[in-house]
């Protein structure tokens, strides 16, 4: 089954404790991205990757890191989480950058206390 | 600057009624306009998409109307059902190498039985 898999689904952590949210897709998609969803603000892009070893900042990259060492994986790293990073996070992938459907993971609800 | 503006933020419709959600954009380079549907606890999923060479696209009870000169597009849900209750996001992208999808802030639709 074609899918984007994120882990964990839920995470509660403390301020400053490094964490990684994993994302994997099995569709051989080139383009992957991370979004955060906050009430009233919709989906805001954090980082995106057009292919292996190619990443760039989205609209809200501060406090986040990503890497794309393999085509299928695109982890999101929070080196020193803060309470304002409490949010619902989605990973998405697209076959190419040109007008193709984005497939989203199930989401990761992160709470930073 | 918000690339895609969506309204209303919330919408309540009676079963059998028509739900209408509107979006507007400024960037004339956008050439792909998808709508995503999100149920609670799930990631967004593509509902229907349109390109600017057509003014309307219909899939079952869902129709996108596109007005290129006004830089507006809208989603119409005919014969709305309680199962349509979800959050709807419009989006836009251009077929460039960046391939970014810009999302509206979302509309929470509630269909009363």
């Amino acid at each position: 089954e074609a899918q984007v898999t994120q882990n964990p689904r839920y995470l509660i952590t403390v301020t400053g404790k490094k964490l990684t949210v994993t994302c994997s897709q099995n569709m051989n998609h080139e383009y992957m991205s991370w979004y955060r969803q906050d009430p009233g603000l919709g989906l805001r892009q954090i980082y995106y990757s057009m292919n292996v070893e190619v990443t760039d900042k989205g609209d809200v990259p501060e406090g986040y890191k990503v890497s794309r060492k393999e085509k299928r994986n695109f982890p999101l790293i929070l080196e020193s989480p803060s309470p304002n990073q409490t949010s619902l996070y989605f990973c998405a992938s697209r076959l190419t950058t040109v007008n193709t459907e984005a497939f989203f993971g199930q989401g990761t609800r992160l709470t930073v206390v | 600057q918000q690339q895609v503006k969506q309204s209303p933020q919330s919408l309540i419709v009676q079963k059998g009624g028509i739900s209408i959600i509107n979006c507007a954009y400024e960037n004339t380079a956008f050439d792909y306009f998808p709508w995503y549907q999100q149920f609670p606890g799930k990631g967004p999923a593509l509902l229907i998409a349109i390109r600017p060479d057509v003014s309307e696209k219909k899939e079952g009870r869902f129709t996108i109307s596109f007005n290129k000169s006004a830089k507006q597009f809208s989603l119409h849900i005919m014969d709305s059902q309680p199962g349509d209750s979800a959050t709807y996001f419009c989006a836009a992208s251009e077929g460039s190498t960046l391939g970014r999808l810009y999302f509206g802030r979302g509309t929470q639709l509630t269909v009363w039985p």
Side-chain angles (χ1 to χ4, degrees), chain A residues 36-78:
Chain A
R36 59 179 289 173
Q37 183 176 6
D38 302 289
L41 296 179
L43 293 159
R44 294 181 293 167
Q45 193 179 58
I46 303 170
Y47 267 94
Y48 64 95
S49 170
M50 294 174 59
N51 216 322
V52 175
E53 302 293 359
V54 182
T55 63
D56 208 348
K57 297 176 181 178
D59 295 319
V60 287
E62 293 77 22
Y64 305 94
K65 286 176 59 178
V66 292
S67 68
R68 187 94 181 269
K69 294 184 170 57
E70 306 165 280
K71 197 171 188 178
R72 64 183 292 128
N73 296 322
F74 191 44
L76 179 70
I77 303 157
L78 284 72

Short mmCIF file of all heavy atoms in Angstrom, two decimals, chain A residues 36-78:
data_model
loop_
_atom_site.label_atom_id
_atom_site.label_comp_id
_atom_site.label_asym_id
_atom_site.label_seq_id
_atom_site.Cartn_x
_atom_site.Cartn_y
_atom_site.Cartn_z
N ARG A 36 3.68 22.13 9.71
CA ARG A 36 3.04 22.14 11.02
C ARG A 36 1.65 22.75 10.87
O ARG A 36 1.44 23.66 10.05
CB ARG A 36 3.86 22.90 12.07
CG ARG A 36 4.15 24.35 11.79
CD ARG A 36 4.94 24.98 12.94
NE ARG A 36 4.13 25.16 14.15
CZ ARG A 36 4.60 25.57 15.32
NH1 ARG A 36 5.88 25.84 15.46
NH2 ARG A 36 3.80 25.72 16.37
N GLN A 37 0.72 22.21 11.64
CA GLN A 37 -0.66 22.67 11.56
C GLN A 37 -1.07 23.22 12.91
O GLN A 37 -1.02 22.51 13.93
CB GLN A 37 -1.61 21.53 11.17
CG GLN A 37 -3.05 21.96 11.01
CD GLN A 37 -3.95 20.84 10.53
OE1 GLN A 37 -3.53 19.69 10.40
NE2 GLN A 37 -5.20 21.16 10.25
N ASP A 38 -1.45 24.48 12.93
CA ASP A 38 -1.89 25.14 14.15
C ASP A 38 -3.26 25.75 13.91
O ASP A 38 -3.55 26.22 12.80
CB ASP A 38 -0.88 26.22 14.55
CG ASP A 38 0.51 25.67 14.78
OD1 ASP A 38 0.69 24.96 15.79
OD2 ASP A 38 1.41 25.91 13.95
N PRO A 39 -4.12 25.76 14.93
CA PRO A 39 -5.48 26.29 14.76
C PRO A 39 -5.48 27.69 14.18
O PRO A 39 -4.79 28.59 14.66
CB PRO A 39 -6.02 26.28 16.19
CG PRO A 39 -5.24 25.22 16.87
CD PRO A 39 -3.87 25.27 16.28
N GLY A 40 -6.27 27.87 13.13
CA GLY A 40 -6.39 29.19 12.51
C GLY A 40 -5.27 29.57 11.59
O GLY A 40 -5.35 30.59 10.89
N LEU A 41 -4.21 28.78 11.56
CA LEU A 41 -3.05 29.12 10.71
C LEU A 41 -2.87 28.14 9.55
O LEU A 41 -2.00 28.36 8.70
CB LEU A 41 -1.77 29.15 11.56
CG LEU A 41 -1.73 30.22 12.65
CD1 LEU A 41 -0.42 30.12 13.43
CD2 LEU A 41 -1.89 31.61 12.05
N GLY A 42 -3.63 27.09 9.53
CA GLY A 42 -3.55 26.14 8.43
C GLY A 42 -2.26 25.35 8.44
O GLY A 42 -1.68 25.08 9.50
N LEU A 43 -1.80 24.98 7.26
CA LEU A 43 -0.58 24.19 7.10
C LEU A 43 0.56 25.11 6.67
O LEU A 43 0.49 25.72 5.61
CB LEU A 43 -0.81 23.11 6.04
CG LEU A 43 -1.81 22.02 6.40
CD1 LEU A 43 -2.33 21.34 5.15
CD2 LEU A 43 -1.14 21.00 7.32
N ARG A 44 1.59 25.14 7.47
CA ARG A 44 2.74 25.97 7.14
C ARG A 44 3.95 25.07 6.92
O ARG A 44 4.25 24.21 7.73
CB ARG A 44 3.00 26.99 8.26
CG ARG A 44 1.89 28.02 8.41
CD ARG A 44 2.21 29.01 9.52
NE ARG A 44 2.22 28.37 10.82
CZ ARG A 44 2.71 28.93 11.92
NH1 ARG A 44 3.25 30.13 11.87
NH2 ARG A 44 2.66 28.28 13.07
N GLN A 45 4.64 25.32 5.83
CA GLN A 45 5.77 24.47 5.47
C GLN A 45 7.00 24.82 6.30
O GLN A 45 7.39 25.98 6.42
CB GLN A 45 6.08 24.58 3.99
CG GLN A 45 7.04 23.51 3.49
CD GLN A 45 7.31 23.64 2.00
OE1 GLN A 45 7.77 24.67 1.54
NE2 GLN A 45 7.01 22.58 1.26
N ILE A 46 7.65 23.78 6.83
CA ILE A 46 8.84 23.98 7.67
C ILE A 46 10.11 23.84 6.81
O ILE A 46 10.94 24.74 6.76
CB ILE A 46 8.86 22.95 8.81
CG1 ILE A 46 7.59 23.05 9.64
CG2 ILE A 46 10.09 23.15 9.69
CD1 ILE A 46 7.42 21.91 10.64
N TYR A 47 10.24 22.70 6.18
CA TYR A 47 11.37 22.40 5.30
C TYR A 47 10.85 21.53 4.16
O TYR A 47 9.84 20.86 4.30
CB TYR A 47 12.47 21.64 6.03
CG TYR A 47 13.56 22.49 6.63
CD1 TYR A 47 13.47 22.89 7.97
CD2 TYR A 47 14.66 22.88 5.90
CE1 TYR A 47 14.46 23.67 8.54
CE2 TYR A 47 15.67 23.66 6.46
CZ TYR A 47 15.55 24.05 7.78
OH TYR A 47 16.55 24.82 8.34
N TYR A 48 11.60 21.53 3.07
CA TYR A 48 11.29 20.63 1.98
C TYR A 48 12.57 20.10 1.37
O TYR A 48 13.66 20.65 1.57
CB TYR A 48 10.41 21.29 0.91
CG TYR A 48 11.04 22.45 0.18
CD1 TYR A 48 11.67 22.26 -1.03
CD2 TYR A 48 10.96 23.75 0.70
CE1 TYR A 48 12.23 23.33 -1.71
CE2 TYR A 48 11.51 24.82 0.03
CZ TYR A 48 12.14 24.61 -1.17
OH TYR A 48 12.70 25.68 -1.84
N SER A 49 12.41 19.01 0.63
CA SER A 49 13.55 18.39 -0.03
C SER A 49 13.15 17.96 -1.43
O SER A 49 12.16 17.26 -1.60
CB SER A 49 14.01 17.16 0.76
OG SER A 49 14.95 16.42 0.02
N MET A 50 13.92 18.40 -2.41
CA MET A 50 13.59 18.07 -3.80
C MET A 50 14.21 16.74 -4.23
O MET A 50 13.82 16.19 -5.25
CB MET A 50 14.01 19.20 -4.71
CG MET A 50 13.21 20.47 -4.44
SD MET A 50 13.78 21.88 -5.36
CE MET A 50 13.59 21.28 -7.02
N ASN A 51 15.19 16.28 -3.48
CA ASN A 51 15.79 14.97 -3.75
C ASN A 51 16.84 14.70 -2.70
O ASN A 51 17.06 15.51 -1.78
CB ASN A 51 16.38 14.91 -5.16
CG ASN A 51 16.20 13.55 -5.80
OD1 ASN A 51 16.32 12.52 -5.12
ND2 ASN A 51 15.91 13.54 -7.08
N VAL A 52 17.51 13.57 -2.81
CA VAL A 52 18.52 13.20 -1.82
C VAL A 52 19.57 14.30 -1.72
O VAL A 52 20.05 14.82 -2.73
CB VAL A 52 19.17 11.86 -2.21
CG1 VAL A 52 20.30 11.52 -1.26
CG2 VAL A 52 18.13 10.75 -2.22
N GLU A 53 19.89 14.65 -0.48
CA GLU A 53 20.91 15.65 -0.18
C GLU A 53 20.54 17.07 -0.61
O GLU A 53 21.38 17.97 -0.55
CB GLU A 53 22.28 15.26 -0.78
CG GLU A 53 22.82 13.92 -0.34
CD GLU A 53 23.20 13.86 1.14
OE1 GLU A 53 23.06 14.88 1.85
OE2 GLU A 53 23.60 12.78 1.60
N VAL A 54 19.29 17.30 -1.02
CA VAL A 54 18.83 18.63 -1.42
C VAL A 54 17.68 19.04 -0.51
O VAL A 54 16.57 18.49 -0.61
CB VAL A 54 18.38 18.67 -2.88
CG1 VAL A 54 17.95 20.10 -3.26
CG2 VAL A 54 19.48 18.19 -3.82
N THR A 55 17.94 19.99 0.39
CA THR A 55 16.89 20.46 1.29
C THR A 55 16.90 21.99 1.31
O THR A 55 17.92 22.61 1.01
CB THR A 55 17.09 19.93 2.73
OG1 THR A 55 18.31 20.46 3.26
CG2 THR A 55 17.14 18.42 2.77
N ASP A 56 15.76 22.56 1.69
CA ASP A 56 15.68 24.01 1.78
C ASP A 56 14.59 24.41 2.76
O ASP A 56 13.69 23.61 3.08
CB ASP A 56 15.41 24.64 0.42
CG ASP A 56 15.96 26.05 0.32
OD1 ASP A 56 16.34 26.63 1.37
OD2 ASP A 56 16.02 26.59 -0.80
N LYS A 57 14.70 25.65 3.23
CA LYS A 57 13.78 26.15 4.23
C LYS A 57 12.43 26.48 3.61
O LYS A 57 12.34 26.95 2.48
CB LYS A 57 14.36 27.42 4.87
CG LYS A 57 15.65 27.20 5.62
CD LYS A 57 16.20 28.52 6.14
CE LYS A 57 17.52 28.29 6.87
NZ LYS A 57 18.10 29.57 7.34
N GLY A 58 11.39 26.23 4.41
CA GLY A 58 10.06 26.67 4.05
C GLY A 58 9.75 28.00 4.72
O GLY A 58 10.62 28.85 4.86
N ASP A 59 8.52 28.14 5.18
CA ASP A 59 8.10 29.41 5.77
C ASP A 59 8.44 29.56 7.25
O ASP A 59 8.60 30.67 7.74
CB ASP A 59 6.58 29.57 5.61
CG ASP A 59 6.18 29.68 4.15
OD1 ASP A 59 6.89 30.38 3.40
OD2 ASP A 59 5.18 29.07 3.76
N VAL A 60 8.54 28.44 7.96
CA VAL A 60 8.76 28.51 9.41
C VAL A 60 9.87 27.55 9.83
O VAL A 60 9.65 26.63 10.61
CB VAL A 60 7.45 28.24 10.19
CG1 VAL A 60 6.51 29.41 10.08
CG2 VAL A 60 6.78 26.95 9.71
N PRO A 61 11.11 27.73 9.38
CA PRO A 61 12.17 26.75 9.63
C PRO A 61 12.88 26.90 10.98
O PRO A 61 13.62 25.99 11.38
CB PRO A 61 13.16 27.05 8.51
CG PRO A 61 13.01 28.53 8.27
CD PRO A 61 11.55 28.81 8.50
N GLU A 62 12.67 28.01 11.68
CA GLU A 62 13.44 28.28 12.89
C GLU A 62 13.20 27.19 13.94
O GLU A 62 12.06 26.88 14.30
CB GLU A 62 13.07 29.65 13.48
CG GLU A 62 13.47 30.83 12.62
CD GLU A 62 12.54 31.03 11.43
OE1 GLU A 62 11.38 30.54 11.50
OE2 GLU A 62 12.95 31.66 10.45
N GLY A 63 14.29 26.65 14.47
CA GLY A 63 14.20 25.64 15.52
C GLY A 63 14.12 24.21 15.01
O GLY A 63 14.02 23.28 15.81
N TYR A 64 14.18 24.03 13.71
CA TYR A 64 14.06 22.71 13.10
C TYR A 64 15.27 22.41 12.21
O TYR A 64 15.89 23.32 11.67
CB TYR A 64 12.79 22.59 12.25
CG TYR A 64 11.51 22.93 12.96
CD1 TYR A 64 10.98 24.22 12.90
CD2 TYR A 64 10.83 21.96 13.68
CE1 TYR A 64 9.80 24.54 13.55
CE2 TYR A 64 9.65 22.27 14.34
CZ TYR A 64 9.14 23.55 14.26
OH TYR A 64 7.97 23.86 14.91
N LYS A 65 15.57 21.13 12.06
CA LYS A 65 16.55 20.66 11.10
C LYS A 65 15.97 19.45 10.39
O LYS A 65 15.11 18.75 10.92
CB LYS A 65 17.85 20.26 11.80
CG LYS A 65 18.71 21.40 12.28
CD LYS A 65 19.92 20.90 13.04
CE LYS A 65 20.80 19.98 12.22
NZ LYS A 65 22.01 19.54 12.98
N VAL A 66 16.48 19.21 9.19
CA VAL A 66 16.07 18.02 8.44
C VAL A 66 17.31 17.42 7.77
O VAL A 66 18.36 18.06 7.69
CB VAL A 66 15.02 18.34 7.35
CG1 VAL A 66 13.69 18.76 7.96
CG2 VAL A 66 15.55 19.38 6.38
N SER A 67 17.15 16.21 7.29
CA SER A 67 18.19 15.59 6.48
C SER A 67 17.52 14.68 5.47
O SER A 67 16.42 14.18 5.69
CB SER A 67 19.18 14.81 7.34
OG SER A 67 18.56 13.67 7.90
N ARG A 68 18.18 14.46 4.34
CA ARG A 68 17.64 13.56 3.31
C ARG A 68 18.81 12.74 2.76
O ARG A 68 19.37 13.01 1.71
CB ARG A 68 16.99 14.37 2.18
CG ARG A 68 16.26 13.49 1.17
CD ARG A 68 14.81 13.35 1.48
NE ARG A 68 14.10 12.50 0.53
CZ ARG A 68 13.51 12.95 -0.58
NH1 ARG A 68 13.60 14.24 -0.91
NH2 ARG A 68 12.85 12.11 -1.35
N LYS A 69 19.16 11.73 3.51
CA LYS A 69 20.27 10.86 3.12
C LYS A 69 19.82 9.74 2.20
O LYS A 69 20.62 9.19 1.43
CB LYS A 69 20.96 10.30 4.35
CG LYS A 69 21.66 11.36 5.21
CD LYS A 69 22.40 10.73 6.37
CE LYS A 69 23.29 11.73 7.08
NZ LYS A 69 22.58 12.91 7.57
N GLU A 70 18.56 9.37 2.31
CA GLU A 70 17.98 8.35 1.43
C GLU A 70 16.70 8.94 0.85
O GLU A 70 16.06 9.78 1.47
CB GLU A 70 17.62 7.09 2.21
CG GLU A 70 18.74 6.49 3.02
CD GLU A 70 18.18 5.49 4.01
OE1 GLU A 70 17.69 5.92 5.07
OE2 GLU A 70 18.22 4.27 3.73
N LYS A 71 16.32 8.43 -0.30
CA LYS A 71 15.15 8.98 -0.97
C LYS A 71 13.88 8.77 -0.15
O LYS A 71 12.99 9.62 -0.14
CB LYS A 71 15.00 8.33 -2.34
CG LYS A 71 14.08 9.08 -3.29
CD LYS A 71 14.18 8.48 -4.67
CE LYS A 71 13.43 9.33 -5.69
NZ LYS A 71 13.55 8.80 -7.06
N ARG A 72 13.76 7.66 0.54
CA ARG A 72 12.52 7.33 1.20
C ARG A 72 12.34 8.01 2.56
O ARG A 72 11.24 8.09 3.07
CB ARG A 72 12.40 5.82 1.37
CG ARG A 72 13.45 5.19 2.25
CD ARG A 72 13.30 3.67 2.28
NE ARG A 72 12.07 3.29 2.97
CZ ARG A 72 11.15 2.48 2.47
NH1 ARG A 72 11.32 1.96 1.27
NH2 ARG A 72 10.07 2.19 3.14
N ASN A 73 13.42 8.48 3.18
CA ASN A 73 13.34 8.99 4.55
C ASN A 73 13.63 10.49 4.65
O ASN A 73 14.55 10.99 3.98
CB ASN A 73 14.33 8.24 5.45
CG ASN A 73 13.99 6.77 5.57
OD1 ASN A 73 12.83 6.40 5.64
ND2 ASN A 73 15.02 5.92 5.59
N PHE A 74 12.88 11.14 5.51
CA PHE A 74 13.04 12.60 5.67
C PHE A 74 12.72 12.95 7.13
O PHE A 74 11.64 13.43 7.44
CB PHE A 74 12.10 13.33 4.70
CG PHE A 74 12.34 14.80 4.58
CD1 PHE A 74 13.61 15.33 4.47
CD2 PHE A 74 11.26 15.69 4.56
CE1 PHE A 74 13.83 16.69 4.33
CE2 PHE A 74 11.45 17.06 4.43
CZ PHE A 74 12.74 17.55 4.32
N PRO A 75 13.66 12.72 8.04
CA PRO A 75 13.40 12.99 9.45
C PRO A 75 13.40 14.47 9.78
O PRO A 75 14.15 15.26 9.18
CB PRO A 75 14.54 12.26 10.16
CG PRO A 75 15.64 12.22 9.14
CD PRO A 75 14.97 12.11 7.81
N LEU A 76 12.58 14.83 10.76
CA LEU A 76 12.52 16.20 11.29
C LEU A 76 13.17 16.19 12.66
O LEU A 76 12.78 15.40 13.52
CB LEU A 76 11.07 16.66 11.38
CG LEU A 76 10.84 18.07 11.94
CD1 LEU A 76 11.34 19.12 10.95
CD2 LEU A 76 9.36 18.29 12.24
N ILE A 77 14.12 17.07 12.86
CA ILE A 77 14.89 17.10 14.10
C ILE A 77 14.64 18.42 14.83
O ILE A 77 14.75 19.49 14.23
CB ILE A 77 16.40 16.95 13.80
CG1 ILE A 77 16.65 15.66 13.02
CG2 ILE A 77 17.21 16.97 15.10
CD1 ILE A 77 17.91 15.66 12.22
N LEU A 78 14.31 18.30 16.12
CA LEU A 78 14.21 19.48 16.97
C LEU A 78 15.35 19.37 17.97
O LEU A 78 15.32 18.54 18.88
CB LEU A 78 12.86 19.53 17.68
CG LEU A 78 11.65 19.95 16.85
CD1 LEU A 78 11.23 18.88 15.85
CD2 LEU A 78 10.48 20.34 17.75
#
